Every structure is written in structure tokens, then in C-alpha cells.
Amino acid sequence: MDKKTIIGLVLIFAIFVGYMWWVSPSKEEIAEKRHQDSIRWEHYQDSIEQVRIADSIAAVLKAEQGLSDSAFAEQQSLSRQQQQLGMFGANTGASQQLKVENEEMTVAISSRGASVQQVVLKDFTTFDKMPLELISAGEENMNLIFSTNDNRVINTRDLTFTPFVDGQPVAADAELEVKGDSMTVAYRAFANAPVADSAAASVNDGTQYLEFAYVFYPNSNQVGFHINFHGLTQVVRSTPSMDFQWSNSMNRQEKVDVGSRGSNRKDNEKMYTNLFYKPAKESPESLRMGGKGDKQMKTPVEWVAFKQQFFTAILMCENEDIPFENADMRYGVDDAKDTNAQYLCDMNAIVGLTYDSEKDCSMDMRFYYGSTKYRTLRQEHRSLEQLVPLGNFFLTRWVGKWGIIPLFNWMERFIKNYGIIIILLTIIFRTVVFPLTFKSYQSSAIMRILRPEMQALNEKYPNQDQAMQKQQEMSRLQKRAGINPLMGCLPVLIQFPILMAMYRFYPASIELRQKQFLWCDDLSTYDSILDFGFNIPLYGDHISLFCLLMFGMQFFYTWYTMRDQSSQMTMPGMKFMMYFMPFMMLFIFNSQSAALNIYYFCSLLITMTQMILIRKFTSEKKVRARMAAYDAKQKNSPNKKKSNFQKRLEEMQRMSEQMQKQQNRK
């Protein structure tokens, strides 16, 4: 060990000793610490003694009251809960259900928390004919959080409310029917003196209470909801807003095959289930469709909706000018619950309610429990109709909003069979677009007439390096016959918005739900003529006959159109891809709604009919005459100036041909 190392170790030791001396307590501090320790020990001894005394008192009370261990423990737990609730400590007791029924639904309200515990829609059933439960049983579906002036945080889900109907007390387990113009069911939690003050605990003149008031109407899916604070300005802490929690565990209502369950593409109910919300003065938005998501809105929100494929529960502010101050929303799947085949997802929302501490305050809201029928939602004039998915592309939405839905609603007034409505709707749309697609179909008919010339060009340019020359000759031949190659894309471009609008509308249209047509029991979901009892990956556990018909028609359509186009195809594998498409559609649409497969089948059938008729009435004599007239015109004006577009096109063809030759040399 050298000299420098020794010096370093000595310095480190000296610094350590100096630091320990510096931080060591003084004699006064040591004495004070001993004093504090003695005080703590005395408090500990006192607490031990208090516990012994409390246990002795509890034993005496238990013996005097003759209670069992479980009953006495329950009594003590209730006493502690009352202490925690402070001024609201008297609002405890067993939970009971009150049921309110009108023509549209049955609503169960729990006295614990005064929350809507269950909503059953009367005009609908699930796919297996069970009652349709839109709000599933749960005593914590609703909760208001606020603070009192004695520094207690109150959750209304811990309070047991007393029910009143039109101002008169009723039994907490009553069953009521809405009569007259409306019925108000009000749940009140009275504020008393602290329970610890037994002499004042029973004092209550009925003027200080928190009220959850529900207003029911006959033949209506809406429920007025008002949170009222009466005489609580000196009880509830002054705060600008309060948090109101609303949640629900969503149940499956629709049929789904084993292989599609949980798939965002083939499970329609999961795909169309989402949490929607509307920012104030803006268009509605949603979380990620078919998946998990959360969103925190720090700006005002007008309504929040828990939406399924065909049904929705909506919480909205009564007055659009007084929206919710903010919203914290979550939507997802609980893996523990997902083992249940009837479980779909969980939805939660916390909205901020404006509170006025200077006077008796009322927070006015409304619930909607019902279907997502477009016409019904639109009548609210609050953009609720946007819960019905019509596509994200603006043309698709326009077609659905101004085309499909009005026609559909008009026809269902006169036609009761919805399968026939789908067929007629398809015929109408195909007829509307026919003038725009006529040129394309006519070009296909002319190409069939030109088949000998095209075969001759194939024989003239058999090699791959001559593909560009062959293409130029093909284009010249088409031009002579009056064919515009760009017209081949027009039918696809025109029909795409309609096709996508139908793809969105039919699986989400409640008008088709559980409506029969031929062998199909429900047009909104897949039809099955054979259930396997097991799942085939990518295909499903059944055979859909409408899907098979659509597949057969698409395969025939592909074969019919490919006969005349195969000679023009220069890309290898294109023919295989065209024939592979019907098989791909067979796997994709086997679990899609029967209405969608009917539409595609009828659309292809009409297209085939139009093409066959146009080909039959396209005169070969007129085509040859047009070609001769074109040749004569070109002969009489050989120096006709080429357009800039034509020059650029020829230049691109020449450069492509040169590149092809260079690649062949390599």
C-alpha cells in the first residue's frame, strides 16, 4: 500500500468521524426524545386500556341484547358506517327494489343509492327469447360524490334512501304503474344531527334532504332525472361542481357464432358497441369502436351514451345551455367476466355537475333507455341520430342519411316484409346508377365483339418484352371502336359509397332485427341452414345459405366478365386473384347479416341481367361501321395535332418499353 492510498483512507475516516459528530443529537435533544417516547408509551397504554374497556362494554351490550356473534358484528359495522356518514348517518338499512312500469319498459330502482339498478325493455327480447335487460343489475350503477362541512366524503351508493311517489311515502319494494301524464318517484336521504349525539339524532323536521327524483311518462323511453339539495347549504361543503358516476356491465343481446365472438370484424354486436359523447356545440364523438378506450374531457359535454348494436342508454343534461362541466369515460372488457358468454363489456362515465352552494340547488338531467332507431333519435334534435353508424366517409353518410333511410322508412309504411323491402331498395339503387354505368357495360359488350382482333394482337406480340407494344395496339383498337378505358373504373367509383352505406346500415338497422324472410329468422344477423356444433377457423360454426347464394352469383359474375378480359391481362396472377375474391367473400360474409348477403346477391344478379341484355342488343354491324368511320377520318386528316396528354402518355409508354428492354438484356 503506497503513501497516497494511506493518506486517502485517513482522510475518508476523518470525514466520516466528523460527520457522525456533526449530526449526533445534543443532550437537550436526547432528553426531549426520551420525553416524547414516554408520552407515546403512555398513549399506547391508554389505547390498550380503552380497547379493553370497549371490549368489556361490547360484551356487556351483547349479553344484554342477547345477540349472536354475527348479528352483533353486523350491528357494530352499521354503527361504524353511521359514524362515517356523519349528518347522513341515519340513512342506513337493507336495500330494497321498487319497480316502475310503463308501456315501453320496466325500471327497477334500489333504495341503496337510489340508483337505477335494472332496465328491461318490454317490446324486445334477446336472440334466445329472454327479456332484454339494457341496464344490468348492480347497486353501484350510479353514485354522487360530495363533501360535507365536517370533512366527510359522502358516496350516495352508501346511503339508503326513502322513496316518495308524487310527494307521498311508499314502500321501498312497491310495484308501480305509470298513469296520467307523468309519475314522479323521489328518493330522499335526510340530514340529521351526528349519530354520536343520541339526544339530537332523531331530530328531523323533513326540510334538509338530498333527493334523487325520477319522472316517468306513459309510453316513453325517457326518464327525467333530477338531483335536488333541500336546506343543505350549511351541511354540504361549498364547491363549484360534484362528480356523478354512471356505469353498466353490458349484456349480449344478439346471436354470434363461436368463431366470431370477440372479433372486431365478424362480431357485429362487439363492433357496433361503443361509448359515445357529445362535446358542447360540437359533433358527437366516440371511443375506439370494437376495442378498449378511455377519454378525459375537461371541456363541457352535453350527453354520454352507452351504445350497443341496436340499443342504447343515454345520460343527457336537461338544458343544453347547462351541460356537464367535464367527463371521464372508460370502455373495456373485464377478462374475469369475459368467460361468461352473456357478457359483452363494461362502460363507465364520471361527469361533472354544476353545484350552487348559495341556495337550494337542482341538477337536471334525463335518461333515455331504448333502441337506436334513427327516426326516434333524430326527433330529439340533439345529434343523437349519429349513434347509428353510417360510415366515416362523407359520401357514405350522405347516401345513408338522404337515400337509404328515407326510402327504407317510406317503404316500410306499405310493405311489412322486410326481405322484400331490401330487394326493392336494391332494385331502386341499381336503376338510379344504371345511366352512369351503361357506358361501362356497353364497352364490355363491344370488347366481346372485338375478341378476334384482340386474339390476333396476342398472336402478333407473344413475348413479354412486347407487352407495351401490345398494349398500345389494344388501346388503338379500343379507340377505333369508341371505347374509353377509363369508363371501366366508373361503376366501381359510383357504387362504392352505396355499397359501404349498405354495409353499415343493414347490420345496424333495428328495423331488421328479428324480422323473418324465407328460411331466415333474423335479417340483422346470419342465417343458418346447418350448424356444425364445432367451429371451422375463419369460416364459422354454420352454413349461411344467403352467403352461399351470394358466393355463387359472384363466382358466375367473375367467370362471365373474365372471358372477355383474360386476353388483355398482362399482369401475372391477376386471373387467379379475380377468381380468389369470391372465396374470400364466402369466408368473410358467412357470419354477416342475412340482409347484407341478400343485397349483394340481388345487386350482382341485377348487374348480370343488365350486362347480358346490353350485350344482346349491342349491334356488331354498328360497331364495325364506327370503326370504319374512325379509320376514314384518320386517313383524311393524317397530320392531326396530338394533345399534350396524348404526347405525355406516348412518352411514358416509350420510356417503359425501353426500361423493359434493358431488364431483358440483364
Side-chain angles (χ1 to χ4, degrees):
M1 184 178 295
D2 58 10
K3 182 179 180 181
K4 293 182 179 180
T5 303
I6 294 173
I7 294 173
L9 292 174
V10 171
L11 289 174
I12 292 172
F13 180 75
I15 292 171
F16 178 75
V17 172
Y19 175 76
M20 294 300 295
W21 173 80
W22 177 262
V23 300
S24 62
S26 63
K27 293 181 179 180
E28 293 80 4
E29 291 175 338
I30 293 174
E32 178 65 23
K33 185 175 185 304
R34 288 174 178 173
H35 178 65
Q36 294 294 333
D37 289 343
S38 65
I39 293 175
R40 291 192 188 97
W41 175 253
E42 290 175 0
H43 287 170
Y44 175 72
Q45 293 292 334
D46 291 342
S47 64
I48 293 294
E49 185 64 24
Q50 290 175 4
V51 170
R52 289 173 181 170
I53 294 173
D55 289 342
S56 299
I57 294 173
V60 172
L61 291 173
K62 176 182 175 183
E64 289 179 350
Q65 298 175 6
L67 299 176
S68 64
D69 292 341
S70 60
F72 186 75
E74 183 178 350
Q75 184 186 73
Q76 292 298 304
S77 174
L78 179 61
S79 177
R80 287 192 296 271
Q81 183 182 15
Q82 290 174 339
Q83 294 288 346
Q84 293 172 358
L85 295 175
M87 295 287 290
F88 290 92
N91 299 281
T92 55
S95 174
Q96 293 180 288
Q97 266 193 14
L98 180 147
K99 292 186 178 181
V100 182
E101 181 178 355
N102 67 6
E103 290 82 354
E104 300 293 333
M105 58 187 176
T106 300
V107 179
I109 306 175
S110 172
S111 59
R112 177 68 57 80
S115 63
V116 175
Q117 189 176 12
Q118 188 180 41
V119 175
V120 177
L121 301 182
K122 298 173 68 173
D123 291 339
F124 304 95
T125 60
T126 62
F127 70 95
D128 52 356
K129 307 305 179 184
M130 298 296 291
L132 196 147
E133 189 178 86
L134 181 57
I135 298 295
S136 55
E139 291 190 350
E140 297 186 359
N141 286 345
M142 296 164 55
N143 181 38
L144 179 69
I145 306 172
F146 62 95
S147 300
T148 59
N149 287 329
D150 55 354
N151 296 322
R152 285 179 168 85
V153 177
I154 306 298
N155 290 273
T156 57
R157 65 190 176 197
D158 297 329
L159 303 178
T160 300
F161 288 67
T162 303
F164 293 78
V165 175
D166 294 332
Q168 300 298 319
V170 295
D173 58 352
E175 295 186 3
L176 308 172
E177 185 177 351
V178 179
K179 296 180 180 178
D181 296 333
S182 65
M183 174 187 288
T184 299
V185 180
Y187 279 81
R188 296 174 183 176
F190 294 94
N192 301 311
V195 175
D197 184 2
S198 58
S202 60
V203 176
N204 176 23
D205 59 4
T207 60
Q208 292 180 296
Y209 57 87
L210 169 64
E211 180 180 71
F212 281 16
Y214 297 92
V215 183
F216 295 89
Y217 305 94
N219 198 27
S220 175
N221 291 96
Q222 297 202 30
V223 179
F225 179 52
H226 309 277
I227 299 178
N228 303 315
F229 291 83
H230 288 269
L232 298 177
T233 55
Q234 302 302 318
V235 176
V236 178
R237 178 179 295 174
S238 176
T239 179
S241 64
M242 297 178 179
D243 286 340
F244 180 73
Q245 299 176 340
W246 183 44
S247 61
N248 187 38
S249 182
M250 315 291 282
N251 294 324
R252 280 191 175 272
Q253 319 290 357
E254 314 305 327
K255 182 172 65 173
V256 61
D257 66 33
V258 177
S260 298
R261 186 178 184 272
S263 169
N264 287 343
R265 294 184 179 275
K266 300 182 72 175
D267 186 346
N268 280 330
E269 187 171 15
K270 181 175 177 60
M271 184 174 72
Y272 289 109
T273 295
N274 206 345
L275 193 154
F276 284 77
Y277 61 96
K278 184 183 183 301
K281 311 302 181 183
E282 297 181 22
S283 298
E285 300 178 15
S286 67
L287 305 186
R288 188 167 66 88
M289 184 170 285
K292 298 182 179 181
D294 61 84
K295 180 72 175 182
Q296 288 185 338
M297 288 292 296
K298 297 182 179 180
T299 55
V301 173
E302 293 183 15
W303 52 258
V304 177
F306 296 167
K307 178 190 174 297
Q308 294 181 242
Q309 186 176 0
F310 297 114
F311 304 97
T312 184
I314 306 172
L315 172 64
M316 66 188 90
C317 58
E318 181 71 30
N319 190 340
E320 297 180 46
D321 296 328
I322 310 177
F324 305 131
E325 293 195 354
N326 49 62
D328 185 358
M329 297 157 288
R330 288 179 176 83
Y331 158 50
V333 176
D334 187 333
D335 294 334
K337 298 180 183 177
D338 202 29
T339 55
N340 184 354
Q342 302 303 318
Y343 170 76
L344 186 61
C345 66
D346 287 329
M347 292 193 182
N348 302 274
I350 302 175
V351 297
L353 306 179
T354 303
Y355 176 68
D356 187 354
S357 60
E358 301 298 325
K359 59 181 180 180
D360 286 353
C361 178
S362 180
M363 303 167 178
D364 301 322
M365 294 164 274
R366 268 190 294 161
F367 283 108
Y368 171 83
Y369 303 113
S371 70
T372 55
K373 190 169 184 177
Y374 186 89
R375 184 167 49 190
T376 302
L377 296 176
R378 191 177 183 185
Q379 290 173 351
E380 289 297 313
H381 303 290
R382 300 189 69 170
S383 302
L384 296 178
E385 70 275 7
Q386 294 191 36
L387 294 176
V388 181
L390 297 178
N392 297 323
F393 185 47
F394 73 96
L395 282 178
T396 303
R397 292 198 303 271
W398 288 354
V399 170
K401 182 176 181 180
W402 305 112
I404 298 175
I405 292 177
L407 272 174
F408 191 93
N409 291 337
W410 178 76
M411 284 193 288
E412 70 176 343
R413 293 165 54 190
F414 309 101
I415 304 172
K416 301 305 179 183
N417 190 310
Y418 283 86
I420 295 176
I421 291 177
I422 294 170
I423 294 173
L424 292 177
L425 199 61
T426 307
I427 293 173
I428 290 172
F429 276 101
R430 295 301 307 173
T431 303
V432 169
V433 301
F434 177 71
L436 302 175
T437 57
F438 173 75
K439 273 288 185 182
S440 174
Y441 299 154
Q442 189 180 51
S443 297
S444 176
I446 295 174
M447 293 294 289
R448 187 165 179 265
I449 295 173
L450 299 179
R451 186 183 300 174
E453 286 87 343
M454 290 188 291
Q455 290 178 348
L457 290 174
N458 287 330
E459 295 173 358
K460 183 178 180 181
Y461 302 103
N463 300 327
Q464 186 65 30
D465 59 350
Q466 297 175 314
M468 186 59 65
Q469 293 176 323
K470 183 173 71 173
Q471 186 62 40
Q472 290 176 348
E473 292 292 337
M474 288 284 188
S475 299
R476 192 175 295 112
L477 177 63
Q478 293 172 359
K479 191 173 183 179
R480 290 174 57 206
I483 297 175
N484 184 356
L486 297 178
M487 291 298 294
C489 302
L490 185 61
V492 177
L493 294 176
I494 293 173
Q495 296 177 64
F496 184 76
I498 299 176
L499 185 147
M500 291 306 299
M502 295 290 189
Y503 181 82
R504 288 291 191 181
F505 173 74
Y506 284 134
S509 174
I510 192 171
E511 289 86 349
L512 301 177
R513 186 178 185 269
Q514 297 181 355
K515 295 300 190 297
Q516 296 183 350
F517 181 62
L518 299 178
W519 58 85
C520 177
D521 294 328
D522 188 345
L523 286 168
S524 68
T525 187
Y526 62 85
D527 63 297
S528 176
I529 59 169
L530 177 63
D531 293 324
F532 300 140
F534 57 88
N535 180 57
I536 299 177
L538 302 178
Y539 184 70
D541 60 0
H542 64 279
I543 295 178
S544 168
L545 182 54
F546 279 127
C547 182
L548 281 180
L549 292 173
M550 184 272 295
F551 161 76
M553 182 56 63
Q554 188 176 30
F555 188 87
F556 179 69
Y557 174 80
T558 302
W559 169 81
Y560 188 78
T561 55
M562 288 289 291
R563 290 187 309 167
D564 302 326
Q565 297 179 10
S566 58
S567 60
Q568 306 174 58
M569 290 187 178
T570 57
M571 294 179 62
M574 179 60 72
K575 186 175 182 179
F576 170 79
M577 287 299 298
M578 295 298 293
Y579 277 108
F580 178 72
M581 184 63 69
F583 290 95
M584 186 173 68
M585 297 289 283
L586 176 66
F587 279 81
I588 293 175
F589 280 81
N590 187 59
S591 297
Q592 290 294 335
S593 69
L596 202 58
N597 282 315
I598 292 172
Y599 165 73
Y600 286 148
F601 169 77
C602 294
S603 181
L604 288 169
L605 178 62
I606 295 170
T607 299
M608 284 292 304
T609 304
Q610 291 174 344
M611 290 181 64
I612 292 173
L613 291 175
I614 290 173
R615 287 188 178 187
K616 182 177 181 180
F617 292 101
T618 299
S619 171
E620 181 176 358
K621 182 177 180 181
K622 291 183 179 180
V623 174
R624 298 297 179 186
R626 187 185 301 119
M627 295 173 68
Y630 179 86
D631 292 339
K633 185 177 180 180
Q634 293 296 316
K635 184 176 181 181
N636 295 331
S637 54
N639 298 325
K640 183 179 179 181
K641 187 177 180 181
K642 297 180 180 179
S643 65
N644 292 331
F645 175 77
Q646 189 174 3
K647 290 179 180 179
R648 287 195 296 268
L649 183 61
E650 291 180 355
E651 180 64 20
M652 290 173 61
Q653 291 175 341
R654 185 183 63 79
M655 292 177 63
S656 178
E657 187 175 3
Q658 289 178 353
M659 291 175 63
Q660 184 67 37
K661 289 180 179 179
Q662 291 176 359
Q663 290 178 358
N664 292 337
R665 291 194 191 100
K666 293 179 181 180

